[in-house]
Amino acid sequence: MSAEQRRAELEVKRAKLEKMRQEKSQKPGATTPMTPNISSISMAGLSAPREDADPDKILKEVGIHQAASLPMSSPSVSPATASSQQKRRPPANIALQICQQPAATISVPPKELVTYSKEVQTIESGEKDPTASPIQHDHLQWDDEFQPSTTGEHNRLVYVSDDDTMSFDETSKASIGMTLPPAIELKRARSLKQQHKQQSLQGQASLTKHELTNDERDQILKSDPFQDFFSRTSRLIERSLWESPKAFDIFKDYSGRDLDGQNEKMDVGEIIKFDREFFDERWTRHRIVTCIDTSTYHPELVLASYSQNDESSHESDGVVLIWNSKYKSKPTPEYVFNCQSWVTSCAFSKFHPNIVLGGTYSGQIVVWDTRTNKRTPVQRTALSASSHTHPVYCLQVIGTQNANNLISISNEGKMCSWNIEMMTQPQESMDLAYRTKPVAATRMVFPGVEVNNFIIGSEEGQAYSGSRHGNKAGIQESYEGHFGPITGLSCHNVNGSIDFSPLFLTSSFDWSVKLWSLKESKPLNSFEVNSDYVTDVRWSPVHPSVFLTCDITGRFDIWNLNHDSELPLLSTTLDGNVALNKCLWAHNGQQIILGDDQGKLRLYGVNEFLTNPKQDDFNKLSNTLQDFKRNTLDAFDDNHPTNAATATATTTTS
């Protein structure tokens, strides 16, 4: 079909369509095109297919007007275009249906209009980051607020302060990613700051406490937490106040270079050097030192028990004090403990650093605990026939960490074994007797780490050895030599190449000190240089041949058997008519502690040559003991010539 034929066919159809429109407009009751009456349209006619159905007519019937018609002939229309229009025209046989659908409502919010002010472009006082907070401050202002820009520069936010200026222009803001918060964030930041400010004011108001009443104040002062706090902190303050500034030298040079021009060590001739004195006007005046002990956990702590104060009847009869030798200028004790009966013996518990034990004149054994704020005992034994009823003169803790006991003796002749955690009654009790003769014990010691074998001293002047368990439990051997009550007893506990554990020393009211061996019934040697009662004797814990003695004239002697067995290495008498009752070595052997009848403890430093024994000191002591044995045999021969001749004849016959 040519183009002219196609064009002629289209004109015929358009003429026919125009004729149909004119006929429709001439019909009566036609509705206005702007308001088509949809209900008047026959649904059957719409649904029935018509061959001559024209799309424009159908659209016009439903109220949709067609745009201005194209001219009858258009030279620009090509056959391809006409064919495409024909393809887009819907086929005539499609049935159209009109129905009503529910309308859907869509709410589109209006675009938020965000405005900014200079209040947004501010920072917190003291900060240098303009984005840190949107709070307004007077020290921030625009540098072009009061004068126009003449250089064409962008507006800048200038930080005005007394020391520096920080500004950001638009380019730098974009480069560091600086953005302005919206108005909602600004309000939130302001509200948060107000809340913080209110909380700060409330916190300051809460710091202002109301004044306590007298009842409230007394209740706090008497409470256990406050008493514990006050007791602990008062000791710390006391140490700080009384400690000499030179006690802790932060510039001390331990290399020894600072000692080149000055020798701070004692000379060899200066055996001892006075360190300090422990005395308290309230607690120790008019009292006698009855016992001394040192702590294995804290070697600087010194425990001392005291007798009753005859000058003051309203004070406690028994007093036990713990002194601290580390702080030389501190005049007060670390702990003060009281008891109804005066304390005759005391001891630290080896395996409980907070437990202090005491034996009393009444026969009770009391227990104090440094963890509590009480000065009175936390435990005490009962006065009954199963325990002690006479003065307890000696206490010793034996055993190991997992299995240990407290052993006590009294001069009624009874030895008791106790569990420190349960002191209601003794676990074991044994009457001390030698061949049916009761023994009034005054001193007791377990050699080394022994838990079964023991040595005791008696009022009769005899020493005894025995065991707690076994077939021969009780006293087994007797050592006669003294003519007065034994006041001191000490075993040799220095370990070395030669075993000297059988050796022990005794002191007595007969003005003598004797050296014994458990293997010999007679003393190996007698040291008789004192002119009055010898009150105590102690082996050195570190040197095999050194021991210490004291007497009631205020004299104390340091002996070195390897140096001289007849005269002491050092003999010193205290001034002031003082009677020394007790003496003790520190665990490291570097100090000696002396207790007197005026309630004073004196500490002396010992020269290091007595604390650092040489290897040959053990051999020298062994040779010295052999000399003692030969001298004993010679003295026995001089006193018994008949027995000596008989022994010589027997030897010759053999």
Side-chain angles (χ1 to χ4, degrees):
M1 182 181 293
S2 63
E4 293 180 358
Q5 291 177 355
R6 181 63 178 167
R7 189 177 301 111
E9 185 180 353
L10 291 174
E11 290 178 358
V12 171
K13 287 184 179 182
R14 288 185 181 278
K16 187 178 179 179
L17 181 59
E18 185 65 24
K19 184 180 179 180
M20 292 174 64
R21 289 176 180 171
Q22 291 178 1
E23 291 177 356
K24 180 173 176 53
S25 62
Q26 291 177 1
K27 290 181 180 182
T31 58
T32 307
M34 296 301 295
T35 58
N37 190 359
I38 299 177
S39 62
S40 64
I41 301 175
S42 175
M43 300 302 294
L46 291 174
S47 61
R50 293 184 298 178
E51 295 180 359
D52 57 349
D54 184 56
D56 295 338
K57 184 178 180 180
I58 295 174
L59 294 175
K60 187 176 182 181
E61 289 178 357
V62 297
I64 301 175
H65 299 278
Q66 188 178 4
S69 61
L70 296 173
M72 297 299 294
S73 63
S74 177
S76 62
V77 177
S78 63
T81 305
S83 62
S84 63
Q85 291 179 356
Q86 185 178 6
K87 291 180 182 179
R88 288 195 298 269
R89 184 174 296 170
N93 57 355
I94 295 178
L96 299 179
Q97 295 181 358
I98 298 177
C99 60
Q100 294 182 355
Q101 295 292 338
T105 303
I106 300 175
S107 177
V108 180
K111 183 178 180 181
E112 181 181 3
L113 180 60
V114 181
T115 59
Y116 302 98
S117 64
K118 296 177 183 177
E119 296 178 352
V120 178
Q121 305 171 0
T122 56
I123 65 176
E124 287 284 354
S125 176
E127 299 179 358
K128 301 303 180 183
D129 186 5
T131 62
S133 174
I135 309 304
Q136 182 179 2
H137 293 279
D138 295 336
H139 59 274
L140 290 176
Q141 65 184 17
W142 291 93
D143 57 356
D144 62 339
E145 182 174 3
F146 302 105
Q147 58 184 359
S149 176
T150 58
T151 61
E153 296 179 350
H154 296 285
N155 291 344
R156 296 185 304 163
L157 176 63
V158 181
Y159 181 89
V160 181
S161 64
D162 296 336
D163 53 353
D164 58 356
T165 301
M166 181 180 64
S167 63
F168 294 93
D169 56 13
E170 299 299 333
T171 305
S172 60
K173 290 179 185 178
S175 63
I176 64 175
M178 205 172 141
T179 58
L180 297 178
I184 297 176
E185 298 295 334
L186 174 61
K187 293 180 180 178
R188 183 181 302 173
R190 288 180 176 177
S191 62
L192 287 176
K193 182 175 182 181
Q194 292 178 358
Q195 292 178 4
H196 292 326
K197 186 175 181 180
Q198 292 178 358
Q199 292 177 359
S200 178
L201 294 176
Q202 292 176 359
Q204 293 178 359
S206 63
L207 292 177
T208 306
K209 301 295 183 180
H210 68 282
E211 186 176 356
L212 298 176
T213 62
N214 293 332
D215 295 338
E216 293 175 340
R217 189 181 297 107
D218 293 340
Q219 183 178 3
I220 294 176
L221 293 177
K222 295 179 181 179
S223 63
D224 291 339
F226 178 83
Q227 290 291 333
D228 180 65
F229 164 78
F230 183 79
S231 177
R232 177 169 48 85
T233 54
S234 61
R235 283 193 291 270
L236 297 178
I237 297 301
E238 259 189 328
R239 295 172 187 172
S240 302
L241 291 177
W242 289 100
E243 187 58 32
S244 173
K246 298 182 180 179
F248 301 100
D249 185 8
I250 62 175
F251 300 102
K252 183 175 180 59
D253 186 1
Y254 290 96
S255 65
R257 290 190 295 266
D258 57 342
L259 302 180
D260 293 340
Q262 181 181 4
N263 185 12
E264 294 183 351
K265 296 181 181 179
M266 294 181 295
D267 296 334
V268 177
E270 296 180 277
I271 308 301
I272 61 172
K273 182 178 181 180
F274 179 75
D275 190 357
R276 66 161 301 177
E277 180 182 275
F278 293 121
F279 178 76
D280 188 274
E281 186 70 24
R282 176 184 178 185
W283 295 112
T284 65
R285 186 176 179 83
H286 302 301
R287 295 180 186 267
I288 300 173
V289 178
T290 58
C291 190
I292 308 173
D293 194 18
T294 56
S295 173
T296 56
Y297 284 91
H298 308 287
E300 69 273 13
L301 297 183
V302 179
L303 176 68
S305 60
Y306 301 83
S307 66
Q308 63 184 358
N309 185 0
D310 295 332
E311 301 294 330
S312 179
S313 60
H314 64 276
E315 293 185 359
S316 300
D317 288 344
V319 172
V320 173
L321 304 180
I322 297 179
W323 301 91
N324 196 329
S325 61
K326 185 177 181 179
Y327 302 96
K328 303 183 185 302
S329 302
K330 185 175 180 293
T332 57
E334 291 285 332
Y335 294 95
V336 178
F337 300 116
N338 303 120
C339 186
Q340 294 178 348
S341 177
W342 63 286
V343 184
T344 54
S345 58
C346 63
F348 279 110
S349 176
K350 289 183 181 179
F351 311 105
H352 305 84
N354 56 290
I355 296 299
V356 177
L357 306 167
T360 64
Y361 189 80
S362 64
Q364 280 186 321
I365 298 176
V366 293
V367 180
W368 294 280
D369 194 339
T370 58
R371 295 172 297 184
T372 65
N373 295 318
K374 297 180 180 180
R375 293 182 175 179
T376 56
V378 296
Q379 287 191 78
R380 66 181 70 212
T381 61
L383 293 174
S384 63
S386 61
S387 59
H388 302 294
T389 57
H390 284 64
V392 178
Y393 283 122
C394 194
L395 297 171
Q396 186 172 351
V397 179
I398 61 174
T400 61
Q401 180 69 41
N402 298 324
N404 52 80
N405 296 97
L406 170 66
I407 307 299
S408 61
I409 61 165
S410 60
N411 65 349
E412 63 185 318
K414 181 176 290 187
M415 175 184 289
C416 295
S417 174
W418 306 85
N419 182 0
I420 298 178
E421 298 179 357
M422 185 63 65
M423 302 287 290
T424 54
Q425 60 182 1
Q427 292 181 327
E428 297 177 358
S429 180
M430 181 175 62
D431 292 331
L432 301 175
Y434 180 69
R435 297 178 181 177
T436 67
K437 178 183 178 181
V439 175
T442 57
R443 292 290 176 266
M444 174 194 66
V445 66
F446 283 78
V449 294
E450 281 284 346
V451 296
N452 186 39
N453 299 321
F454 60 86
I455 305 171
I456 61 174
S458 66
E459 289 183 349
E460 294 82 8
Q462 295 179 350
Y464 301 92
S465 64
S467 59
R468 297 172 55 215
H469 306 104
N471 296 330
K472 297 182 179 180
I475 296 177
Q476 302 169 4
E477 299 292 337
S478 173
Y479 305 90
E480 299 181 1
H482 286 293
F483 300 99
I486 294 178
T487 57
L489 177 63
S490 180
C491 286
H492 194 288
N493 293 323
V494 181
N495 297 323
S497 57
I498 302 176
D499 183 20
F500 294 116
S501 58
L503 300 180
F504 66 94
L505 290 165
T506 57
S507 61
S508 174
F509 279 176
D510 62 359
W511 304 4
S512 68
V513 175
K514 298 186 182 300
L515 175 63
W516 306 80
S517 174
L518 292 174
K519 302 176 181 179
E520 304 288 341
S521 60
K522 297 297 181 180
L524 299 180
N525 193 37
S526 180
F527 308 95
E528 301 176 357
V529 296
N530 299 89
S531 59
D532 213 322
Y533 298 158
V534 183
T535 53
D536 205 357
V537 59
R538 296 283 180 169
W539 275 109
S540 170
V542 295
H543 200 290
S545 61
V546 175
F547 63 90
L548 171 68
T549 64
C550 63
D551 63 20
I552 64 172
T553 63
R555 170 178 173 171
F556 65 95
D557 302 325
I558 296 179
W559 294 76
N560 188 348
L561 298 181
N562 291 341
H563 180 268
D564 193 340
S565 59
E566 295 182 356
L567 294 175
L569 179 67
L570 169 73
S571 181
T572 303
T573 302
L574 301 178
D575 298 332
N577 193 22
V578 176
L580 294 177
N581 294 332
K582 295 295 174 181
C583 62
L584 184 70
W585 292 87
H587 287 292
N588 56 9
Q590 297 178 1
Q591 288 180 322
I592 60 174
I593 308 171
L594 305 174
D596 61 22
D597 63 341
Q598 297 181 0
K600 295 181 180 180
L601 290 179
R602 292 176 173 86
L603 269 70
Y604 292 86
V606 180
N607 192 295
E608 61 180 4
F609 84 90
L610 293 179
T611 61
N612 298 318
K614 299 178 181 180
Q615 186 62 34
D616 60 345
D617 285 333
F618 290 88
N619 297 327
K620 290 181 179 180
L621 179 59
S622 178
N623 296 332
T624 302
L625 295 178
Q626 294 296 330
D627 294 340
F628 288 161
K629 291 180 181 180
R630 285 194 294 269
N631 294 336
T632 302
L633 290 176
D634 293 342
F636 181 80
D637 293 342
D638 293 341
N639 296 329
H640 303 82
T642 305
N643 294 339
T646 304
T648 303
T650 304
T651 303
T652 304
T653 304
S654 303

